[in-house]
């Protein structure tokens, strides 16, 4: 191969394109940011740190990533933009040097029962192609192996629009893989009618006991009353056989309800559509509690829970059908695929092997492809989203991560760090919001926000290298090299909770005695069986009264822009009653979602102007000046403050306000005290939930559950989203719970929580079928001394012993 001759010439001047090596942010004011100005190097790994609520997500996600996505959306036609979510421009003066942003956050994957790990990563699509080509016997196209595709058969006359219009007979068939009995869900449900209504009452007397079905509800109860199929004033138990059939199973039909045409259908099909359309694990807590009471889920008897038709299950490759392949642990499936030798499908097999190997590499090899996507934790969901990017050929892209180490055992953190470095080394800009010291250590550039949270944060306290952060004196710098000290004296158990023969998921007939009256931490690598043991076997009644268990899981807080800490915690109810009593008016006047709402903005505080094909603009309501309430309502006062001024208070200020004096309200003070105890004293009562950080939402949920009466508290990774400084606060709260006579059981990976425990139960030794066993029981000191497990080794390194 010949090469063109090269001449020695002087080095040329720098190319103008090489001058764009920074992402410049000037004057960012999103949420609590206070005119933040920074410069972020491209093609480097930048970690954003700071206490929870300091403004990290506001800067990275709501400013940089949001503007990048908004600008990309604007490149589409106005017609296409009409189908996209409108994204307002962030509150920032200058954003320069942006590249395409790919956001990999901790939002849960789709909660539809038909959404699985395989469908979310396109791995199922590749397997369907594989079985359609090489499965024996041959069934059909890839659709024949999809549980989301139903078989269709049709025939009839059609008119072909040609020169001579001709009517011809056509037959259409499509072979799908959906099980006809469960419709691809894998489970069937049956309703306990006693949980749906009180049959001794009539509909007019409020017979329904379904959450949200009030007697005056237009779309539900009033439709049933006006249907004409049964007497709404007759007790349900007195219905005739035909009336009962219509009440429970009638097909959808239009009925007249006060001059409006509404759809009436039987109670059972209506509930199936409204309550069972989503995965149970993704439902709101009160809805999930109702479904657990009223609905019995059992594996489909036709397909055995595989979701697939009998025909789809009949085709096999090397003795396995597609359902059995998807049920395999992914690490085992990767080995099975490597053994396939089909030269005609080499590109397909190569892509499939790469995807499965990425699962193993990212620490998710213990999952199976048929695992429902809605059951994944936030950390698992985020790593699942990473799969498609690990083998990507894209460069000069900005990857944005939200705490990628969440839910990871210290053993897996190093693996995640290597993946982040791999993305950077391919020429990408990697922005990471993180509290984990090990991830901060690998950063090329660090931006520390603070100094406090909420209104006390929103400024850049440090920008530079990791070594510079250590010497900076900021909260993050001081805690970067923190090491917990093992307890000198641990509490003695006051009893034990016996768990025998636990075998759910990957647990292997586990027998364990969980100590009561102490702080017990359940540890182990991701997928070792911790949640299966505690949440399923313990919280669901393995030897303990389930009514005495308070379980605080990782399910996200849901709420609209109208929701705030006051509404979520129930604080607004006693506050409204106190205002009403002091002024002799109705409590509904002091709700921005009810009679007291500003008539212009309807209680939102801002007015949204729709500009057609352009993004909508939100402006502060001129009528109420953003205070959300009608002017007449603001004339009523309690302790010299109106309702809008109270909602503008911080938790700490409001605790003093309602603690004594004219505004003294014990019920409100108790809720505010709990919020302050979990470290949210700085939070504004009226701050929209949509603006809270992940750590703030976790602690807000903890404060709500603290009000529940129970002898056993079960917490699933409560340190998620917490800064090391906040972890200290959390440990103090856990100690207070134990000292008050409670038993606290924590599923946790954070070494500081392990070191603070009275007892540790370590599961393992690995993940999936390599785990599911108790590998250690004892005190943290005994675990460190033995160093017999992965957890023991990492804890020993952490405490410097």
């Amino acid at each position: 191969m010949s090469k063109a001759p090269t001449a020695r010439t002087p080095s040329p001047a720098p190319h103008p394109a090489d001058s764009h090596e920074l992402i410049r942010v000037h004057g960012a004011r999103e949420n609590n940011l206070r005119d933040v100005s920074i410069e972020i190097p491209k093609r480097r790994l930048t970690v954003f740190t700071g206490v929870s609520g300091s403004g990290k997500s506001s800067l990275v996600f709501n400013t940089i990533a949001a503007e990048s996505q908004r600008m990309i959306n604007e490149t589409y036609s106005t017609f296409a933009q009409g189908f996209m979510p409108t994204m307002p421009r962030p509150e920032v003066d200058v954003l320069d040097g942006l590249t395409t942003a790919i956001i990999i956050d901790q939002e849960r994957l789709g909660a539809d029962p038909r959404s699985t790990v395989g469908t979310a990563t396109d791995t199922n699509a590749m397997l369907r192609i594989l079985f359609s080509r090489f499965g024996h016997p041959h069934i059909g196209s890839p659709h024949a192996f999809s549980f989301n595709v139903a078989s269709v058969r049709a025939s009839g006359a059609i008119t072909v629009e040609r020169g001579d219009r001709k009517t011809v007979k056509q037959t259409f068939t499509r072979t799908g893989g959906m099980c006809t009995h469960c419709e691809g869900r894998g489970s069937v449900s049956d309703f306990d009618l006693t949980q749906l209504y009180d049959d001794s009452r009539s509909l007019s007397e409020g017979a329904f006991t379904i959450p949200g079905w009030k007697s005056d509800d237009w779309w539900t109860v009033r439709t049933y009353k006006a249907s004409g199929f049964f007497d709404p004033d007759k007790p349900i138990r007195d219905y005739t056989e035909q009336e009962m059939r219509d009440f429970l199973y009638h097909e959808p039909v239009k009925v007249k309800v006060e001059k409006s045409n509404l759809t009436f259908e039987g109670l059972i099909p209506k509930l199936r559509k409204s309550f069972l359309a989503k995965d149970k694990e993704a439902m709101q807590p009160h809805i999930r509690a109702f479904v657990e009471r009223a609905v019995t889920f059992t594996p489909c008897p036709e397909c055995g829970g595989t979701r697939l038709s009998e025909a789809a299950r009949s085709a096999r490759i090397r003795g396995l059908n597609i359902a059995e392949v998807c049920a395999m642990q992914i690490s085992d499936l990767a080995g099975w695929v490597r053994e396939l030798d089909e030269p005609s499908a080499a590109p397909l097999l190569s892509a499939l092997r790469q995807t499965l190997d990425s699962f193993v590499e990212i620490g998710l090899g213990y999952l199976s492809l048929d695992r429902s996507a809605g059951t994944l934790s936030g950390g698992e969901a985020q790593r699942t989203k990473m799969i498609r990017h690990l083998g990507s050929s894209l460069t000069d892209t900005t990857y944005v991560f939200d705490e990628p180490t969440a839910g990871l055992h210290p053993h897996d953190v190093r693996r995640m760090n290597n993946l982040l470095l791999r993305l950077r080394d391919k020429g990408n800009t990697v922005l990471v919001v993180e509290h984990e010291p090990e991830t901060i250590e690998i950063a090329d550039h660090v931006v520390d926000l603070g100094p406090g949270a909420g209104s006390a944060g929103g400024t850049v306290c440090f920008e530079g290298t990791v070594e510079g952060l250590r010497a900076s004196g900021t909260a993050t710098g001081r805690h970067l090299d923190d090491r917990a000290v093992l307890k000198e004296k641990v509490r003695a158990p006051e009893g034990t909770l016996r768990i025998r023969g636990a075998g759910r998921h990957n647990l292997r007939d586990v027998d364990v005695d969980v100590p009561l009256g102490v702080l017990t931490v359940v540890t182990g690598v991701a997928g070792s069986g911790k949640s299966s043991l505690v949440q399923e076997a313990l919280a669901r009644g393995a030897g303990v009264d389930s009514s005495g268990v308070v379980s605080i899981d990782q399910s996200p807080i849901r709420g609209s822009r109208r929701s705030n800490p006051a509404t979520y915690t129930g604080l607004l109810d006693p506050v409204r009653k106190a205002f009403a009593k002091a002024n002799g008016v109705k409590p509904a006047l002091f709700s921005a979602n009810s009679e007291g709402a500003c008539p212009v903005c309807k209680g939102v505080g801002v007015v949204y102007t729709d500009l057609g094909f352009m993004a909508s603009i939100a402006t502060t309501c001129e009528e109420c000046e953003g205070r959300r309430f009608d002017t007449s309502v603001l004339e009523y006062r309690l302790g010299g403050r109106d309702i809008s001024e109270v909602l503008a208070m911080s938790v700490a200020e409001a605790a003093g306000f309602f603690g004594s004096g004219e505004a003294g309200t014990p019920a409100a003070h108790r809720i505010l005290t709990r919020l302050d105890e979990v470290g949210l004293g700085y939070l504004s009562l009226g701050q929209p939930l949509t603006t809270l950080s992940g750590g703030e939402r976790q602690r807000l949920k903890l404060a709500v559950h603290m009000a529940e009466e129970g002898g056993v508290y079960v917490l699933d990774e409560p340190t998620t989203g917490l800064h090391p400084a906040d972890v200290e606060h959390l440990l103090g709260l856990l100690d207070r719970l134990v000292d008050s006579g409670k038993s606290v059981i924590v599923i946790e990976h954070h070494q500081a929580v392990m070191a603070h425990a009275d007892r540790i139960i370590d599961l393992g030794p690995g993940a999936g079928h390599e785990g599911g066993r108790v590998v250690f029981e004892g005190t943290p000191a005994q675990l460190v001394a033995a160093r017999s497990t992965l957890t023991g080794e990492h804890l020993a390194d952490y405490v410097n012993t």
Side-chain angles (χ1 to χ4, degrees), residues 82-100:
F83 296 94
M84 296 178 175
T86 56
M87 304 176 71
R89 189 181 188 280
E91 286 286 328
V92 60
D93 294 334
V94 178
L95 265 176
D96 185 38
L98 292 178
T99 62
T100 302

Side-chain angles (χ1 to χ4, degrees), residues 732-801:
L733 174 62
L734 297 180
D735 276 339
R736 288 195 294 275
L737 282 173
V738 175
D739 292 339
S740 67
K742 310 292 185 185
S743 299
V744 179
I745 302 168
V746 181
I747 302 169
E748 191 54 79
H749 294 296
H750 201 294
Q751 294 102 318
V753 180
M754 298 180 199
H756 199 74
D758 297 306
R759 289 290 188 280
I760 287 181
I761 299 174
D762 193 22
L763 276 81
H769 57 58
E770 296 175 359
R773 295 191 295 267
V774 175
V775 294
F776 175 83
E777 291 180 76
T779 66
Q782 292 169 340
L783 179 61
V784 167
R787 296 181 73 115
S788 57
T789 69
L790 283 172
T791 303
E793 291 177 11
H794 284 279
L795 183 58
D797 293 340
Y798 183 81
V799 297
N800 288 330
T801 57

Side-chain angles (χ1 to χ4, degrees), residues 63-73 95 98-101:
T63 303
I64 299 172
E67 178 65 359
S68 173
Q69 291 204 323
R70 187 187 71 86
M71 295 180 73
I72 291 172
N73 288 354
L95 265 176
L98 292 178
T99 62
T100 302

Side-chain angles (χ1 to χ4, degrees), residues 7 38 143 185 302 367 486 672:
I38 59 169
H143 285 315
R185 287 182 167 85
E302 296 290 326
L367 295 178
L486 293 174
L672 291 163

Side-chain angles (χ1 to χ4, degrees), residues 250-271:
H250 202 286
E251 293 182 355
V253 63
K254 290 291 184 181
V255 297
K256 198 93 168 176
V257 181
E258 297 180 15
K259 300 182 180 180
S260 298
N261 286 323
L262 300 178
T263 301
F264 165 82
E265 63 180 325
L267 184 62
I268 299 302
K270 187 174 185 69
L271 292 181

Side-chain angles (χ1 to χ4, degrees), residues 271-289:
L271 292 181
R272 287 190 194 280
K273 293 176 183 177
S274 57
F275 286 99
L276 304 185
K278 289 187 176 181
D279 191 271
K280 185 175 68 171
E281 298 301 322
M283 295 176 179
Q284 296 182 27
H286 72 289
I287 299 295
R288 183 168 57 196

